[in-house]
Amino acid sequence: MTVKLKIIKTIAQLRECVDAWRSGGDRIVLVPTMGALHEGHLSLVKMARDKGDRTVVSIFVNPAQFAPNEDFGSYPREHDEDLQKLTSLGVDLVFMPPREEVYPQDFSTHVEVQGLSEGLCGVSRPHFFGGVATVVAKLLNQCRPDVAIFGEKDYQQLLVIRRMARDLDMDVEILGGPLIREGDGLAMSSRNAYLSPQEREKAPLLHQTISELAEQLANGGSIAELCETAAKRLALAGFEVDYLEVRNADNLAPVTTHTGEPARVFAAAMLGKTRLIDNVAVPDRKK
Ligand code: AMP
């Protein structure tokens, strides 16, 4: 049986539809996105289908998470293609609100998750996590899903949202889905479309460098020195490294010595005008 995809633009219609499903006993799963959907997004949608009875995908390019000098205006918008992909995956509802529906003129509230938002991407993008937390809090209130799914591609964002949901007593389970990569290792991202052919060829070096670093870290050695060497390798190849750090996978505290705690390597770098981010787990040699 093919179910027709509902395309909804207002909060009132979203609530009406989701409330009806909920009163029928359905478990509702939300996947928030900014559209220009690729296999990374679609993997979360597939996961959503397995976790519940009704899958809701939101597509909203959230102005609050872009600084004035960033790419809000040029961010890829591919609604027709997105809707085709979601239809073929059997999604029940796509929520695509216009900007005024989300941010009415006198909108005045801002959600800030302290601590977790402050390092890594929070340094060069200080507006970013507040903008994300605010819009995700709104989406969770608008849809009231049982489960919401976010990708480990944006690992810091996943932890920020999980903390926000816990701190604000939101009755939702926040799940993370694995990072999906291109065949050559580049983390899939809507922004990869900005890369020139030459940059696209070079881009997988980010993943290669942090993966090799993670292996070296698992074998011991100075964390600071290994990170510095890896950052130099990227800089020599033409990346402008924003950060390359090892952090605790649960709370993002800096990891400076080998204590056996769960650790991840996090990196962000500009390649030309494109900002790439990536992260990998440091293998646990004890296992
Ligand atoms: P975005 O549209 O970039 O805001 O991403 C929407 C959701 O998809 C977020 O939870 C992202 O973490 C997730 N996502 C983006 N790229 C990937 C990827 N390559 N693998 C897994 N999840 C991803």
Side-chain angles (χ1 to χ4, degrees), residues 57-80:
V57 175
S58 61
I59 299 181
F60 179 64
V61 183
N62 173 32
Q65 68 191 68
F66 291 79
N69 61 329
E70 292 183 343
D71 56 341
F72 175 73
S74 57
Y75 195 85
R77 287 157 173 89
E78 301 169 0
H79 289 168
D80 292 347

Side-chain angles (χ1 to χ4, degrees), residues 31-41 43-44 60 65 75 149-155 157 161 177-181 186-191:
V31 181
T33 80
M34 297 205 298
L37 302 178
H38 50 65
E39 286 301 322
H41 297 112
S43 71
L44 304 182
F60 179 64
Q65 68 191 68
Y75 195 85
I149 304 186
F150 298 84
E152 289 186 351
K153 151 92 190 327
D154 302 279
Y155 196 92
Q157 169 176 288
I161 289 164
L179 196 167
I180 304 299
R181 302 181 178 282
L186 175 65
M188 288 191 180
S189 164
S190 308
R191 287 194 169 99

Side-chain angles (χ1 to χ4, degrees), residues 115-121 123 155-156 159 163 217 223-224 227 243-266 282:
L116 284 176
S117 300
E118 283 156 24
L120 304 175
C121 283
V123 176
Y155 196 92
Q156 186 178 12
L159 294 196
R163 179 70 60 84
L217 290 167
I223 295 176
C227 286
Y243 60 79
L244 195 162
E245 293 182 40
V246 185
R247 298 277 183 129
N248 180 294
D250 298 327
N251 58 24
L252 298 184
V255 175
T256 52
T257 53
H258 298 281
T259 57
E261 63 194 302
R264 289 186 91 85
V265 181
F266 292 88
V282 176

Side-chain angles (χ1 to χ4, degrees), residues 32 113 116-117 129 132-137 140 148-151 154-168 170 172-175:
V113 179
L116 284 176
S117 300
F129 290 112
V132 169
T134 303
V135 83
V136 172
L140 294 174
I149 304 186
F150 298 84
D154 302 279
Y155 196 92
Q156 186 178 12
Q157 169 176 288
L158 167 65
L159 294 196
V160 164
I161 289 164
R162 194 171 271 150
R163 179 70 60 84
M164 173 192 77
R166 189 207 69 182
D167 286 355
L168 297 182
M170 292 175 162
V172 60
E173 185 183 1
I174 305 295
L175 293 181

Side-chain angles (χ1 to χ4, degrees), residues 98-109 138:
R99 184 176 178 150
E100 323 73 73
E101 183 75 2
V102 181
Y103 297 114
Q105 270 216 333
D106 54 354
F107 185 81
S108 354
T109 302
K138 286 171 66 67

Side-chain angles (χ1 to χ4, degrees), residues 5-23 28-32 54-60 91-98 101-102 135-145:
L5 177 69
K6 286 182 196 297
I7 301 167
I8 281 187
K9 302 206 167 166
T10 68
I11 299 164
Q13 285 172 320
L14 172 68
R15 287 215 169 114
E16 193 185 336
C17 192
V18 173
D19 284 352
W21 288 337
R22 192 177 300 107
S23 19
I28 292 149
V29 187
L30 171 69
V31 181
R54 298 287 184 174
T55 305
V56 178
V57 175
S58 61
I59 299 181
F60 179 64
V91 164
D92 296 281
L93 189 160
V94 179
F95 182 46
M96 303 172 75
E101 183 75 2
V102 181
V135 83
V136 172
K138 286 171 66 67
L139 286 166
L140 294 174
N141 281 332
Q142 290 158 2
C143 179
R144 294 203 293 124

